[in-house]
Amino acid sequence: MKKLEFLLADESATVTMGNHIAQALLHHNKPLSQQAFVAYLNGDLGAGKTTLTRGVVRGLGHQGNVKSPTYTLVEPYELSPYRVYHFDLYRLADPEELEFMGIRDYFNGQCVCFIEWPEKGNGLLASADVIINMAYQDEQRVITLHACTELGESVLAKLAS
Ligand code: ADP
Ligand code: MG
């Protein structure tokens, strides 16, 4: 399974999609062991990247608010079994900032990373298991998920089942 596409009718459909991704991560046939799962989120402002991530973070067990890490660059969630890191690199001025924050350490071990505006971290991010594109379709949104690794493919297969 290399590519999946869905039409998301409204905000709640986007949150539900995020929850489905979370369930696929929790239940696909290759549990993350020491491996990080990395998703890049592409799409214009307002396309729904943060809304989708909110669904993922809640689906992985977080019960509180999910705020956009626009100024902090990353918001960590210490969940079980997976730690989750939500990055928003929109305001990143210099990729070196990522070096200063020890970006590589975020991609070690059993964690799930969702990264908005990954192109701003060009060259310093772990490569993506899944690349997610979100686009406006009138008042709705279209989400396209591309698997880039075997892990990504197995998560997409679970998502499709
Ligand atoms: P981004 O992080 O891509 O900039 P946000 O998730 O912060 O976008 O904002 C998306 C906006 O679009 C929110 O106002 C949300 O209510 C709305 N939205 C999210 N999903 C949908 C959808 N499927 N259809 C219509 N509106 C949506
Ligand atoms: Mg956002």
Side-chain angles (χ1 to χ4, degrees):
M1 185 68 54
K2 294 227 191 267
K3 183 180 161 188
L4 279 178
E5 191 167 288
F6 300 95
L7 181 66
L8 303 170
D10 55 20
E11 174 172 5
S12 79
T14 303
V15 173
T16 300
M17 182 75 226
N19 185 45
H20 287 160
I21 295 171
Q23 298 315 312
L25 285 166
L26 290 169
H27 301 299
H28 75 117
N29 47 18
K30 286 187 202 122
L32 308 181
S33 51
Q34 283 314 303
Q35 200 176 3
F37 174 84
V38 178
Y40 290 178
L41 289 161
N42 297 320
D44 293 340
L45 276 178
K49 303 180 294 298
T50 298
T51 305
L52 181 80
T53 306
R54 193 183 344 132
V56 174
V57 170
R58 293 251 177 84
L60 289 173
H62 177 69
Q63 294 184 339
N65 274 349
V66 175
K67 48 185 179 184
S68 191
T70 307
Y71 294 95
T72 51
L73 298 179
V74 60
E75 189 67 34
Y77 298 90
E78 294 293 334
L79 305 173
S80 177
Y82 306 137
R83 283 175 290 118
V84 181
Y85 297 112
H86 176 200
F87 291 88
D88 182 348
L89 305 183
Y90 185 65
R91 291 186 183 277
L92 185 72
D94 183 342
E96 262 195 13
E97 271 183 69
L98 292 176
E99 306 252 39
F100 292 134
M101 66 190 262
I103 187 75
R104 279 179 191 83
D105 296 340
Y106 286 93
F107 302 121
N108 288 330
Q110 208 175 12
C111 67
V112 170
C113 298
F114 273 69
I115 308 174
E116 298 184 46
W117 302 98
E119 64 270 32
K120 303 252 181 182
N122 203 358
L124 291 171
L125 302 176
S127 55
D129 294 293
V130 173
I131 296 177
I132 299 173
N133 292 299
M134 300 191 68
Y136 287 80
Q137 178 144 319
D138 303 319
E139 298 301 304
Q140 308 181 12
R141 305 289 188 270
V142 176
I143 183 171
T144 313
L145 303 104
H146 299 268
C148 312
T149 63
E150 215 179 303
L151 174 61
E153 283 191 37
S154 78
V155 171
L156 256 56
K158 189 72 200 171
L159 198 54
S161 69

